[in-house]
Amino acid sequence: MSAPTVTAAGTGRAAPRRRAWTRRAWTRRARRTAAVLAALAVWQVLAQFRVNLWLRFSQFPTVTETAQEFARRLGTAAYWQDVSDSVTRIVGGFALAAVLGVAVGTALARSPLAADLLGPLLEVLRPVPAIALVPVAILLFPSNEQGIVFITCAAAFFPVTVSTRHAVRALTPVWEEAVRTMGGGRWRVLRSVVLPGALPGILGGLSVGIGVSWICVISAEMISGEYGVGYRTWQDYTVVDYPGVFVGMATIGLLGRLTSTAVELLGRRLTRWLPRTAQDAPAPTAGRGRWRTGRTAIGESS
């Protein structure tokens, strides 16, 4: 007889929590929107009135001029061709870097032989900026397209590798010993303990890697590309088309934000078993609250 009472109480507690979480979510969205609008307003005022203090805004295009140029380019095939080329290069290079980085990072952390053979070489190459590999890519690959993908892969490879290595080394040995005690072999340990346990650290490396990849792919397109957002932005600069330059910068920012969000959402989906902070985790729905409190009440009554 106590189950309905506990269920109603649980439902009553869940509703205010859900409303409070919704209120916090809308407040954060409003703050973020206000911050972006404030930055755009400052930009508009400084550029429109040609403010020249220590920083010079006399040649800056205004927000309205940039928006008009952006709207015009959205209707052209060349703009979407550039976007398609840059995204294709990012996806190809980043996917390759993710696979290689996780594999090499795991090997460095788990195998003394791999650490001895690959570790010194990678530590020498890691401080070299990926954009400095443009001459190497031109010499190695027969086409600019392959060279840019190589540079993109090199940019993301080292953050993913280092993050994976540290995450695997930080795992608790008790987990592996428990699996081995139950008869699990090397691949079972790798699949059930190492990769799931190191996944949060790996995802951190992927988040850093996708940002570095965009920096390097845009730089590579500016230097040796034929198409792409970076190539078009540099061409606009050479012909003194400053609204076009800012359109390119805005496009790079939006594409970078979209890809970073995709990596973050994928990471949250793969790590659903991890506990969430109060600001990130939504309040439980009424259905879940009723089910949990009802199950508790049944346990207590029995």
Side-chain angles (χ1 to χ4, degrees):
M1 296 298 292
S2 60
T5 304
V6 176
T7 302
T11 305
R13 286 194 300 268
R17 287 179 58 192
R18 190 168 60 254
R19 287 196 296 269
W21 181 86
T22 303
R23 216 165 28 243
R24 287 197 301 269
W26 279 106
T27 301
R28 295 189 66 188
R29 292 192 185 100
R31 285 202 301 258
R32 294 173 181 177
T33 303
V36 173
L37 293 177
L40 292 176
V42 172
W43 173 10
Q44 176 71 24
V45 171
L46 293 175
Q48 183 173 354
F49 292 99
R50 309 300 181 190
V51 176
N52 282 324
L53 298 174
W54 180 61
L55 298 176
R56 299 173 300 174
F57 294 91
S58 57
Q59 296 185 0
F60 259 52
T62 62
V63 176
T64 54
E65 292 172 347
T66 304
Q68 292 171 358
E69 181 65 16
F70 204 161
R72 187 191 68 80
R73 294 199 179 191
L74 287 176
T76 62
Y79 176 83
W80 294 109
Q81 179 67 41
D82 291 333
V83 170
S84 175
D85 289 342
S86 294
V87 171
T88 301
R89 292 161 179 166
I90 278 288
V91 171
F94 181 72
L96 185 60
V99 174
L100 293 177
V102 172
V104 173
T106 304
L108 291 174
R110 302 277 300 174
S111 171
L113 178 61
D116 293 338
L117 295 179
L118 298 178
L121 179 62
L122 294 178
E123 288 302 321
V124 171
L125 294 176
R126 186 159 65 97
V128 179
I131 195 61
L133 299 177
V134 169
V136 178
I138 294 174
L139 294 174
L140 284 178
F141 296 96
S143 68
N144 288 339
E145 190 70 24
Q146 297 172 352
I148 293 175
V149 172
F150 164 75
I151 293 170
T152 306
C153 175
F157 171 76
F158 288 103
V160 176
T161 300
V162 173
S163 297
T164 303
R165 182 184 63 185
H166 287 299
V168 173
R169 286 179 176 176
L171 292 177
T172 304
V174 176
W175 299 346
E176 180 177 348
E177 294 171 0
V179 175
R180 291 190 180 278
T181 302
M182 298 174 64
R186 178 183 302 176
W187 294 107
R188 178 70 175 181
V189 170
L190 184 65
R191 186 175 67 253
S192 302
V193 175
V194 175
L195 291 180
L199 193 56
I202 294 173
L203 292 170
L206 293 175
S207 298
V208 175
I210 192 67
V212 179
S213 295
W214 272 111
I215 295 173
C216 291
V217 74
I218 295 300
S219 302
E221 288 175 349
M222 288 181 175
I223 295 173
S224 62
E226 296 177 358
Y227 296 99
V229 180
Y231 169 80
R232 193 67 57 190
T233 302
W234 183 253
Q235 292 300 309
D236 290 333
Y237 173 75
T238 58
V239 298
V240 200
D241 183 5
Y242 293 130
V245 171
F246 279 82
V247 169
M249 294 168 59
T251 302
I252 295 167
L254 291 174
L255 292 176
R257 175 62 176 171
L258 289 176
T259 51
S260 298
T261 301
V263 172
E264 182 180 352
L265 292 178
L266 177 62
R268 289 186 178 182
R269 184 173 183 83
L270 293 176
T271 58
R272 287 175 294 181
W273 47 274
L274 286 175
R276 304 293 182 190
T277 60
Q279 62 180 3
D280 294 332
T285 59
R288 289 184 180 178
R290 285 196 298 268
W291 181 78
R292 290 176 179 174
T293 52
R295 185 179 62 175
T296 303
I298 292 174
E300 292 175 350
S301 61
S302 60

